[in-house]
Amino acid sequence: MNDVNKLYELWLEKTADNAEIQKELLSIKGNEEEILDRFYRNLEFGTAGLRGVLGAGTNRMNTYTVCQATQGLADCLNGKYDSASVAIGYDSRINSDVFSKQCAEVLAANGIKAYIFPRLMPTPLLSFAVMRLKCQSGIVITASHNPSKYNGYKCYDPAGYQMTDEAALETYSFIQKVDMFKDIKRIPFDEGIEKGLIEYISDDLVEEFYSLVLQRPINPEIRRESDLKVIYSPLNGTGNIPVRTVLSRAGFKNVEVVPQQEMPDGTFPTCPYPNPEIKQVFECAIEMTKTDKADLLLATDPDCDRVGIAVLTGGEYVLLSGNDVGVLLAEYMLSARKEKGTLPENPLMTKSFVSTPLINLVAEKYGCKVVDVLTGFKYVGEFISKLEKKGEENRFVMGFEESYGYLIGTHARDKDAVAASLMICEMAAYYKSKGKTLVDVLNGIYDEFGNYVNKLYNFAFEGASGMVRMAEIMAQTRENPPKELAGLKVLKVHDFEASTVTDTETGAKTAIELPKSNVLAYSLPEGNFAIVRPSGTEPKIKVYITGCGKTRADAENRADLLGAAMKELIKIGE
């Protein structure tokens, strides 16, 4: 506690010229718990960069932590390149525009060219800019779908995907050497512009992105002729102009926008948790349908890399999961491209290993291989880059993760809700022309392959004590693997940190050919599965369940039983 209090006093002294930080620090004077929460650690820089609550302290997102990270990145780049450049993007969150300019000022002061978007842009556009401008890195200021009190700092590889473990560790080693009050170099933004060290990214690059997204129709006539009615919400984020632009240019004329959620607003007044995974974000859109029904409700998260949908079925709007949409896209894209003769030889899809195995069965029907990668879309981007080096990028059909992330094509190396929104609308229009809703199509897939129910349980652990508890839970679970879950025998234990799969009957171990990750997974009979891992971006433990059954009710029941068994296993609530 003494060290924490010393840090608190140091911040009081060194931030005297920052009225906002001073106000917060003085408001917690003498409050040991609040001081501890802000100073017990530094925000960790990992493969997801930084993410934290806005405010004062080393465990908060603020000018000092953002500039420290950028100075470390600059030192790392200058040690590797004679002339480096970095692309910078930002979303609608509180201080995102401020932090992005500060990043540019630090980079420019270190002799690194900073390309910055003149206005907020979706994350996939930043990924595209890194590749198109041949930058050595990229930064995007966003906290994705977190509540408004959060912001974050994502860092990119020269190939356009978020840094993987090795690059993040290398960058973090430089960040740790930076004294945030002594070592940060900065020049005024306008001076950087005048010296040519800071340059705004032109609209030509944005137009090129649109062009590439629009080049991938499977049924272009469906887009032009469809009467599909869509209500779209950018959730007060970056998707408003890009998504509406590509839908309009593709030929979708019947698109309305939720007015309360149209304009950028980092407070997210109508959706405190701006996450398209939850039905609450669709409430404003559903209200609009009381006077005029829409076929499809579409919502993108604040940085427009995730998209969720609700489908009109039987007079009600059914929210589809990320797994549901991934399976539907696989079925539509593979079947339609096969029919059109545009499916490549030996096609490939990627999915995060926590995503539904049902997509494997769908893909297999069309001769498409599904490659599992670790959670985090950077691994999808890395996979595409490896294909590109072999001249095989045309084999790639889609990348997918259950948390509503999709990449259609290879124009970006991150999930892209702009392109995904367009393909989802084409898919919905196509099936509407056949007299089907997306729910009808999904039920047909279940009839063919069996019912798969996927559930995600999130358990929050706030503050310093929460981080300790999360580590204890993972250690205890690893040391005491279950023999059965909800009456089902555990067939295999997958330990991604040890990189082994253990056959519980024979004890035989096989290697996992993926980077190490703090994840445990349990294979069960008949396709049932359970996975537990700590979140890489939030103070949460996540449990993923796959429940299988002949009927929907059977699969739902199995998933619920497995969820309860996993909760007991990791002793949540003790």
Side-chain angles (χ1 to χ4, degrees), residues 68 162 171 284 308 336 353 372 391 397 402 458 468 497 500 506 540-541:
Q68 181 190 40
Q162 286 183 56
T171 304
C284 292
F353 72 95
D372 276 359
V397 177
E402 50 76 39
N458 286 293
V468 172
E497 192 166 80
T500 58
T506 65
K540 292 179 178 178
I541 281 183

Side-chain angles (χ1 to χ4, degrees), residues 15 136 151 229 306 321 391 410 412 418 445 519:
T15 65
Q136 282 63 55
N151 211 328
K229 178 164 176 136
R306 301 169 193 254
S321 73
T410 59
V418 181
I445 293 171
V519 180

